[in-house]
Amino acid sequence: MDMKRFFLYAIVIAALALAGCGSDGNGGMTGTMPPDPPDPPAQMAHDVDLTDLPEITIPADTVINAGESMNFGMGQNQVTISCPSGGGNCELMQTDDGVTSTGGMATAMLSGAAMTARREAAAARVAATTKAAGTKRKVIAAEAGQTSDAGLGGSDHVNADGIADNADDPYDLAISRDHMATKVKITDHGMTGDDDPKFTQTMDLGNGLTMHTRTMEADDDGDVVEEVVMVKTDIEAPKDTAFAKVAGQALNVNPKTSGGADFRSLAIAGSGALDTIDLMKVGGAPSQTGRVSSTTYTDNPATADVNERTFKGTYNGASGTYACTGAGDCQVVTNAKGVVTAMTGATVWIFTPDSDVTSPVPDSDYLHYGFWLKKTTDDDDVLTYNEVETFAGASVAESGALTTVTGTAIYEGDAVGVYVHSVSNPDGTEKSATSGHFTADTMLTATFGQVPVSEDDDTGTIAANVLYTLTGTINDFQLSGHDEGPGWSVALQGDIGADSAGSTSSASGTAKGGNGEGSFSATFHGSVTAAADGTVPKPGSVVGEFNAGFSNGSVAGAFGARKQ
């Protein structure tokens, strides 16, 4: 074979090898196909984090190009959603749980316009709150400057002499408590019609402190007047007492005998003098009226049998049996709650209590104190405080002259009232102010008459300059709308008695909070009548009102404290 033909064969063989040709076993040639390319990765759906952002609506088929943003929502609630650059476009879809992004991982935040709108709205709220606080500061100062106490209901109610004592149109404050809760009722005798607005309890802040409001209809100018009353009381739940141990419930008759002292029942005056009818309830159907079902029983064999009409019921919460002792028919009329409204046909009604029953004895020695304020909101939502008045009282009588009381006593309790709290700029001008209600602690020391050193030495153990004085502090102020207290403290310093000699049960003096000189007034309550051994008790409680100024605020409030 010549060299030329050899090289030709070599070239053909090399070409076939490079082409991947081979035998199919039958003398034919086959080719190997390249594998299919892999599928592209599936696009993942990512949640768009809208935590702490307002709810927004995403239109269907919304796509944000990579590196671009879109705004959704309006005003203070506008949200900017951005699609990152360097990746795929962001296809947005709204679900029940939020918003997802397919492709790029979109992010969301408040838009710049929303943040600006929110800053402006916050500044406007601060300005409005500060302006309203300024009006409350003025009414606090007006209350502090009163020479006569207007009290609950305000200075609109004056007597014939023009003195604001609510004599013409008083607001009544009634406080009661059962085993479940305390009830505070405020009655404006000038607005008792069915359609007149009434005070309703709107908040129970605990520890005997409740808020009550009344809102009037808007006037022709769109102004809405609202009254707010906050009352603090230490009334306690009734005490369950053995039936016959309750005042007015001593058993005084035995219907089974003609005499003797084995009393088992209570005789109640007939229908003409049923002063206690509100204590009586009967069983049976609601609104029962007519002759009651009767039961015949035999009296003591020593006496003649008497047929008496009897029925089950309660007297002052105690279960038992009523008996009609009259000769004719007995009629009992109740309301829908089973409360007796009329009982006729009996000379005397007899109530026999069941064994070991008790009656609730209400707390008759409790304090109450707080404030009343009136405010107006105009049709532009501008708030103005019109008036504030503090009040304080007790369910027991004032102590009267304290000239026979000697020694000292510590009184502890609480205070409640209204405040204005200011924040200043570096130059001393007011930056902002808030207002609301406060609670605080009260601790007082009352020094009454002189205590002799001994029977032979009457020079006394008390310095003359502190006799018949009332001193102490109101501190630990807690302000509504604030997480921490302002650190305020008010020092009270005053005299007991109009002539500083204990001639009355009142006290008055200064209340200093660090800015100017406020004032306080107080009244002692509880008997100071000498006991059989000659000892004279100290008053059991003291209530009062005060006002004070601080470097960054002012207050007007009332307090109540018990002897420790």
Side-chain angles (χ1 to χ4, degrees):
M1 178 182 295
D2 59 28
M3 292 302 294
K4 184 176 182 180
R5 182 175 296 177
F6 172 80
F7 283 116
L8 178 62
Y9 281 139
I11 292 170
V12 170
I13 292 170
L16 290 173
L18 291 172
C21 296
S23 174
D24 63 2
N26 295 314
M29 302 299 290
T30 63
T32 302
M33 299 299 293
D36 294 333
D39 293 333
Q43 289 188 325
M44 299 291 292
H46 307 282
D47 290 333
V48 180
D49 187 4
L50 297 174
T51 307
D52 299 328
L53 295 175
E55 294 183 0
I56 56 175
T57 300
I58 303 297
D61 301 324
T62 296
V63 177
I64 303 177
N65 294 329
E68 297 182 357
S69 300
M70 285 188 182
N71 291 330
F72 302 90
M74 299 178 63
Q76 297 181 46
N77 295 327
Q78 189 179 78
V79 174
T80 298
I81 297 182
S82 302
C83 188
S85 59
N89 296 337
C90 298
E91 182 177 345
L92 304 184
M93 182 176 67
Q94 191 142 24
T95 67
D96 292 339
D97 298 327
V99 175
T100 62
S101 171
T102 302
M105 297 183 63
T107 59
M109 62 182 297
L110 277 176
S111 71
M115 296 176 67
T116 299
R118 291 191 173 201
R119 284 194 298 269
E120 292 175 350
R125 287 194 297 270
V126 170
T129 300
T130 301
K131 184 177 180 181
T135 65
K136 182 175 281 189
R137 184 183 293 113
K138 290 180 180 179
V139 297
I140 287 176
E143 199 278 342
Q146 290 178 353
T147 56
S148 60
D149 188 16
L152 185 63
S155 59
D156 287 343
H157 309 293
V158 298
N159 61 21
D161 297 325
I163 298 175
D165 64 356
N166 290 350
D168 291 342
D169 192 10
Y171 287 15
D172 281 346
L173 176 64
I175 299 174
S176 61
R177 179 170 176 174
D178 57 20
H179 287 293
M180 299 299 294
T182 298
K183 180 179 180 181
V184 176
K185 183 178 181 180
I186 302 165
T187 303
D188 177 359
H189 291 288
M191 301 187 71
T192 56
D194 292 341
D195 295 331
D196 290 333
K198 305 295 191 300
F199 282 96
T200 59
Q201 180 174 312
T202 52
M203 294 185 68
D204 185 344
L205 300 171
N207 296 320
L209 181 61
T210 53
M211 176 184 290
H212 311 261
T213 62
R214 178 173 70 169
T215 304
M216 304 299 183
E217 293 184 0
D219 62 16
D220 294 340
D221 296 326
D223 295 345
V224 177
V225 173
E226 183 180 7
E227 294 171 89
V228 179
V229 178
M230 291 196 71
V231 181
K232 171 79 173 182
T233 180
D234 63 356
I235 190 171
E236 296 181 349
K239 293 182 179 179
D240 291 330
T241 306
F243 182 87
K245 298 292 185 181
V246 179
Q249 295 181 190
L251 304 182
N252 54 10
V253 67
N254 189 342
K256 291 283 189 172
T257 65
S258 59
D262 184 21
F263 297 144
R264 295 187 297 107
S265 306
L266 174 68
I268 306 171
S271 59
L274 277 178
D275 295 335
T276 56
I277 200 169
D278 58 331
L279 301 176
M280 305 167 75
K281 291 185 179 181
V282 299
S287 302
Q288 175 183 352
T289 181
R291 180 167 178 157
V292 300
S293 58
S294 61
T295 300
T296 302
Y297 62 88
T298 303
D299 282 342
N300 190 298
T303 65
D305 290 349
V306 178
N307 292 332
E308 295 183 328
R309 276 72 68 198
T310 65
F311 57 93
K312 297 296 291 183
T314 63
Y315 184 89
N316 195 17
S319 61
T321 303
Y322 285 98
C324 168
T325 61
D329 289 346
C330 296
Q331 186 182 65
V332 177
V333 181
T334 73
N335 63 18
K337 296 182 179 180
V339 178
V340 177
T341 57
M343 301 180 75
T344 61
T347 303
V348 173
W349 288 92
I350 302 297
F351 178 75
T352 304
D354 294 338
S355 300
D356 301 323
V357 294
T358 61
S359 287
V361 177
D363 183 6
S364 60
D365 182 4
Y366 58 88
L367 311 179
H368 66 270
Y369 43 96
F371 66 86
W372 166 92
L373 67 81
K374 183 171 68 173
K375 58 184 181 179
T376 301
T377 304
D378 66 17
D379 57 356
D380 291 326
D381 209 29
V382 175
L383 174 62
T384 300
Y385 290 95
N386 309 110
E387 185 176 0
V388 64
E389 302 290 345
T390 57
F391 59 84
S395 61
V396 298
E398 295 182 15
S399 300
L402 302 173
T403 52
T404 59
V405 181
T406 60
T408 62
I410 302 297
Y411 295 83
E412 294 183 4
D414 301 310
V416 62
V418 295
Y419 76 87
V420 172
H421 180 268
S422 298
V423 176
S424 298
N425 291 307
D427 61 1
T429 59
E430 186 175 67
K431 179 180 180 181
S432 64
T434 56
S435 64
H437 66 268
F438 72 81
T439 59
D441 296 334
T442 301
M443 180 174 288
L444 305 172
T445 299
T447 304
F448 301 104
Q450 187 62 266
V451 177
V453 174
S454 65
E455 293 183 0
D456 300 326
D457 184 355
D458 59 1
T459 56
T461 60
I462 303 173
N465 64 325
V466 298
L467 292 174
Y468 296 108
T469 58
L470 181 62
T471 62
T473 58
I474 299 175
N475 52 30
D476 194 20
F477 282 80
Q478 300 297 317
L479 310 183
S480 62
H482 292 254
D483 295 330
E484 298 181 357
W488 293 342
S489 182
V490 178
L492 306 183
Q493 175 71 53
D495 296 322
I496 300 174
D499 55 2
S500 303
S503 59
T504 67
S505 56
S506 63
S508 61
T510 60
K512 297 181 179 181
N515 183 23
E517 188 172 279
S519 62
F520 84 92
S521 61
T523 305
F524 291 93
H525 290 260
S527 174
V528 292
T529 302
D533 61 0
T535 58
V536 178
K538 298 176 177 63
S541 60
V542 58
V543 297
E545 305 169 44
F546 73 102
N547 57 81
F550 313 96
S551 61
N552 59 347
S554 57
V555 294
F559 59 84
R562 294 277 183 181
K563 183 171 69 69
Q564 301 304 296

mmCIF file of all heavy atoms in Angstrom, residues 183-207:
data_model
loop_
_atom_site.group_PDB
_atom_site.id
_atom_site.type_symbol
_atom_site.label_atom_id
_atom_site.label_comp_id
_atom_site.label_asym_id
_atom_site.label_seq_id
_atom_site.Cartn_x
_atom_site.Cartn_y
_atom_site.Cartn_z
ATOM 1 N N LYS A 183 -71.992 50.604 95.051
ATOM 2 C CA LYS A 183 -72.835 51.346 94.121
ATOM 3 C C LYS A 183 -72.765 52.822 94.477
ATOM 4 O O LYS A 183 -73.002 53.209 95.619
ATOM 5 C CB LYS A 183 -74.281 50.860 94.183
ATOM 6 C CG LYS A 183 -75.208 51.594 93.220
ATOM 7 C CD LYS A 183 -76.629 51.063 93.303
ATOM 8 C CE LYS A 183 -77.547 51.807 92.331
ATOM 9 N NZ LYS A 183 -78.948 51.310 92.419
ATOM 10 N N VAL A 184 -72.414 53.629 93.481
ATOM 11 C CA VAL A 184 -72.370 55.083 93.649
ATOM 12 C C VAL A 184 -73.427 55.694 92.728
ATOM 13 O O VAL A 184 -73.418 55.430 91.521
ATOM 14 C CB VAL A 184 -70.976 55.641 93.302
ATOM 15 C CG1 VAL A 184 -70.975 57.163 93.390
ATOM 16 C CG2 VAL A 184 -69.923 55.051 94.240
ATOM 17 N N LYS A 185 -74.315 56.476 93.295
ATOM 18 C CA LYS A 185 -75.387 57.094 92.503
ATOM 19 C C LYS A 185 -75.308 58.608 92.643
ATOM 20 O O LYS A 185 -75.279 59.134 93.750
ATOM 21 C CB LYS A 185 -76.756 56.604 92.961
ATOM 22 C CG LYS A 185 -77.912 57.150 92.127
ATOM 23 C CD LYS A 185 -79.250 56.587 92.590
ATOM 24 C CE LYS A 185 -80.396 57.106 91.735
ATOM 25 N NZ LYS A 185 -81.710 56.569 92.185
ATOM 26 N N ILE A 186 -75.260 59.282 91.502
ATOM 27 C CA ILE A 186 -75.207 60.747 91.473
ATOM 28 C C ILE A 186 -76.502 61.241 90.854
ATOM 29 O O ILE A 186 -76.843 60.863 89.726
ATOM 30 C CB ILE A 186 -73.997 61.228 90.653
ATOM 31 C CG1 ILE A 186 -72.703 60.668 91.258
ATOM 32 C CG2 ILE A 186 -73.956 62.755 90.605
ATOM 33 C CD1 ILE A 186 -71.511 60.791 90.342
ATOM 34 N N THR A 187 -77.216 62.065 91.582
ATOM 35 C CA THR A 187 -78.514 62.550 91.134
ATOM 36 C C THR A 187 -78.491 64.066 91.015
ATOM 37 O O THR A 187 -78.151 64.766 91.977
ATOM 38 C CB THR A 187 -79.634 62.139 92.108
ATOM 39 O OG1 THR A 187 -79.633 60.709 92.244
ATOM 40 C CG2 THR A 187 -80.993 62.599 91.607
ATOM 41 N N ASP A 188 -78.852 64.553 89.842
ATOM 42 C CA ASP A 188 -79.024 65.988 89.611
ATOM 43 C C ASP A 188 -80.523 66.262 89.663
ATOM 44 O O ASP A 188 -81.271 65.873 88.774
ATOM 45 C CB ASP A 188 -78.438 66.362 88.246
ATOM 46 C CG ASP A 188 -78.646 67.839 87.906
ATOM 47 O OD1 ASP A 188 -79.255 68.568 88.719
ATOM 48 O OD2 ASP A 188 -78.214 68.252 86.816
ATOM 49 N N HIS A 189 -80.973 66.922 90.718
ATOM 50 C CA HIS A 189 -82.407 67.134 90.902
ATOM 51 C C HIS A 189 -83.000 68.093 89.880
ATOM 52 O O HIS A 189 -84.218 68.217 89.779
ATOM 53 C CB HIS A 189 -82.681 67.633 92.328
ATOM 54 C CG HIS A 189 -82.427 66.600 93.375
ATOM 55 N ND1 HIS A 189 -83.241 65.508 93.570
ATOM 56 C CD2 HIS A 189 -81.405 66.457 94.257
ATOM 57 C CE1 HIS A 189 -82.763 64.750 94.538
ATOM 58 N NE2 HIS A 189 -81.643 65.309 94.973
ATOM 59 N N GLY A 190 -82.154 68.739 89.124
ATOM 60 C CA GLY A 190 -82.663 69.594 88.065
ATOM 61 C C GLY A 190 -82.903 68.852 86.763
ATOM 62 O O GLY A 190 -83.452 69.424 85.813
ATOM 63 N N MET A 191 -82.473 67.579 86.696
ATOM 64 C CA MET A 191 -82.632 66.799 85.466
ATOM 65 C C MET A 191 -83.052 65.380 85.830
ATOM 66 O O MET A 191 -82.261 64.434 85.753
ATOM 67 C CB MET A 191 -81.341 66.782 84.642
ATOM 68 C CG MET A 191 -80.849 68.152 84.217
ATOM 69 S SD MET A 191 -79.447 68.104 83.073
ATOM 70 C CE MET A 191 -80.251 67.503 81.586
ATOM 71 N N THR A 192 -84.302 65.228 86.236
ATOM 72 C CA THR A 192 -84.803 63.926 86.671
ATOM 73 C C THR A 192 -85.787 63.319 85.680
ATOM 74 O O THR A 192 -86.341 62.251 85.950
ATOM 75 C CB THR A 192 -85.486 64.057 88.045
ATOM 76 O OG1 THR A 192 -86.533 65.040 87.968
ATOM 77 C CG2 THR A 192 -84.476 64.472 89.110
ATOM 78 N N GLY A 193 -86.037 63.980 84.553
ATOM 79 C CA GLY A 193 -86.952 63.436 83.557
ATOM 80 C C GLY A 193 -86.414 62.174 82.917
ATOM 81 O O GLY A 193 -85.202 61.922 82.903
ATOM 82 N N ASP A 194 -87.319 61.379 82.367
ATOM 83 C CA ASP A 194 -86.909 60.113 81.765
ATOM 84 C C ASP A 194 -85.931 60.317 80.616
ATOM 85 O O ASP A 194 -85.068 59.471 80.365
ATOM 86 C CB ASP A 194 -88.145 59.348 81.267
ATOM 87 C CG ASP A 194 -89.024 58.871 82.407
ATOM 88 O OD1 ASP A 194 -88.528 58.794 83.538
ATOM 89 O OD2 ASP A 194 -90.223 58.598 82.165
ATOM 90 N N ASP A 195 -86.083 61.416 79.900
ATOM 91 C CA ASP A 195 -85.229 61.656 78.736
ATOM 92 C C ASP A 195 -83.996 62.492 79.063
ATOM 93 O O ASP A 195 -83.172 62.742 78.177
ATOM 94 C CB ASP A 195 -86.029 62.352 77.631
ATOM 95 C CG ASP A 195 -87.152 61.472 77.097
ATOM 96 O OD1 ASP A 195 -86.999 60.242 77.136
ATOM 97 O OD2 ASP A 195 -88.183 62.026 76.666
ATOM 98 N N ASP A 196 -83.872 62.929 80.314
ATOM 99 C CA ASP A 196 -82.707 63.727 80.691
ATOM 100 C C ASP A 196 -81.470 62.839 80.799
ATOM 101 O O ASP A 196 -81.557 61.695 81.278
ATOM 102 C CB ASP A 196 -82.938 64.426 82.032
ATOM 103 C CG ASP A 196 -83.968 65.531 81.934
ATOM 104 O OD1 ASP A 196 -84.114 66.094 80.834
ATOM 105 O OD2 ASP A 196 -84.634 65.821 82.949
ATOM 106 N N PRO A 197 -80.307 63.323 80.370
ATOM 107 C CA PRO A 197 -79.075 62.538 80.527
ATOM 108 C C PRO A 197 -78.794 62.266 81.997
ATOM 109 O O PRO A 197 -79.009 63.136 82.852
ATOM 110 C CB PRO A 197 -78.000 63.428 79.903
ATOM 111 C CG PRO A 197 -78.743 64.377 79.023
ATOM 112 C CD PRO A 197 -80.060 64.605 79.679
ATOM 113 N N LYS A 198 -78.304 61.073 82.286
ATOM 114 C CA LYS A 198 -78.007 60.671 83.659
ATOM 115 C C LYS A 198 -76.531 60.296 83.774
ATOM 116 O O LYS A 198 -75.863 59.953 82.797
ATOM 117 C CB LYS A 198 -78.860 59.471 84.071
ATOM 118 C CG LYS A 198 -80.359 59.653 83.920
ATOM 119 C CD LYS A 198 -80.894 60.716 84.846
ATOM 120 C CE LYS A 198 -82.412 60.726 84.892
ATOM 121 N NZ LYS A 198 -83.036 60.991 83.569
ATOM 122 N N PHE A 199 -76.023 60.388 84.996
ATOM 123 C CA PHE A 199 -74.660 59.922 85.266
ATOM 124 C C PHE A 199 -74.626 58.398 85.221
ATOM 125 O O PHE A 199 -75.505 57.731 85.779
ATOM 126 C CB PHE A 199 -74.183 60.403 86.638
ATOM 127 C CG PHE A 199 -73.741 61.838 86.674
ATOM 128 C CD1 PHE A 199 -74.608 62.835 87.085
ATOM 129 C CD2 PHE A 199 -72.460 62.187 86.294
ATOM 130 C CE1 PHE A 199 -74.201 64.166 87.123
ATOM 131 C CE2 PHE A 199 -72.036 63.509 86.330
ATOM 132 C CZ PHE A 199 -72.920 64.501 86.739
ATOM 133 N N THR A 200 -73.609 57.861 84.579
ATOM 134 C CA THR A 200 -73.396 56.418 84.552
ATOM 135 C C THR A 200 -71.947 56.127 84.909
ATOM 136 O O THR A 200 -71.050 56.917 84.615
ATOM 137 C CB THR A 200 -73.691 55.817 83.162
ATOM 138 O OG1 THR A 200 -72.849 56.438 82.181
ATOM 139 C CG2 THR A 200 -75.149 56.035 82.790
ATOM 140 N N GLN A 201 -71.729 54.989 85.550
ATOM 141 C CA GLN A 201 -70.355 54.599 85.875
ATOM 142 C C GLN A 201 -69.666 54.118 84.612
ATOM 143 O O GLN A 201 -70.148 53.235 83.914
ATOM 144 C CB GLN A 201 -70.342 53.500 86.931
ATOM 145 C CG GLN A 201 -68.930 53.050 87.311
ATOM 146 C CD GLN A 201 -68.906 52.064 88.451
ATOM 147 O OE1 GLN A 201 -69.551 52.268 89.467
ATOM 148 N NE2 GLN A 201 -68.171 50.983 88.291
ATOM 149 N N THR A 202 -68.510 54.698 84.334
ATOM 150 C CA THR A 202 -67.766 54.343 83.122
ATOM 151 C C THR A 202 -66.472 53.602 83.421
ATOM 152 O O THR A 202 -65.933 52.945 82.530
ATOM 153 C CB THR A 202 -67.436 55.599 82.301
ATOM 154 O OG1 THR A 202 -66.796 56.569 83.157
ATOM 155 C CG2 THR A 202 -68.706 56.216 81.737
ATOM 156 N N MET A 203 -65.971 53.689 84.640
ATOM 157 C CA MET A 203 -64.735 52.987 84.980
ATOM 158 C C MET A 203 -64.750 52.591 86.448
ATOM 159 O O MET A 203 -65.261 53.332 87.296
ATOM 160 C CB MET A 203 -63.496 53.856 84.711
ATOM 161 C CG MET A 203 -63.221 54.186 83.265
ATOM 162 S SD MET A 203 -61.653 55.093 83.049
ATOM 163 C CE MET A 203 -60.475 53.815 83.494
ATOM 164 N N ASP A 204 -64.210 51.403 86.732
ATOM 165 C CA ASP A 204 -63.933 50.972 88.099
ATOM 166 C C ASP A 204 -62.429 50.762 88.191
ATOM 167 O O ASP A 204 -61.888 49.805 87.636
ATOM 168 C CB ASP A 204 -64.682 49.682 88.427
ATOM 169 C CG ASP A 204 -64.509 49.261 89.890
ATOM 170 O OD1 ASP A 204 -63.598 49.781 90.558
ATOM 171 O OD2 ASP A 204 -65.281 48.406 90.365
ATOM 172 N N LEU A 205 -61.748 51.683 88.859
ATOM 173 C CA LEU A 205 -60.297 51.676 88.924
ATOM 174 C C LEU A 205 -59.772 50.878 90.108
ATOM 175 O O LEU A 205 -58.569 50.833 90.346
ATOM 176 C CB LEU A 205 -59.774 53.111 88.981
ATOM 177 C CG LEU A 205 -60.164 53.964 87.760
ATOM 178 C CD1 LEU A 205 -59.805 55.419 87.980
ATOM 179 C CD2 LEU A 205 -59.498 53.444 86.504
ATOM 180 N N GLY A 206 -60.677 50.251 90.860
ATOM 181 C CA GLY A 206 -60.269 49.415 91.981
ATOM 182 C C GLY A 206 -60.040 50.203 93.252
ATOM 183 O O GLY A 206 -59.903 51.426 93.251
ATOM 184 N N ASN A 207 -60.030 49.488 94.375
ATOM 185 C CA ASN A 207 -59.782 50.087 95.695
ATOM 186 C C ASN A 207 -60.772 51.203 96.011
ATOM 187 O O ASN A 207 -60.416 52.200 96.637
ATOM 188 C CB ASN A 207 -58.348 50.615 95.790
ATOM 189 C CG ASN A 207 -57.316 49.507 95.677
ATOM 190 O OD1 ASN A 207 -57.490 48.423 96.228
ATOM 191 N ND2 ASN A 207 -56.247 49.767 94.946
#
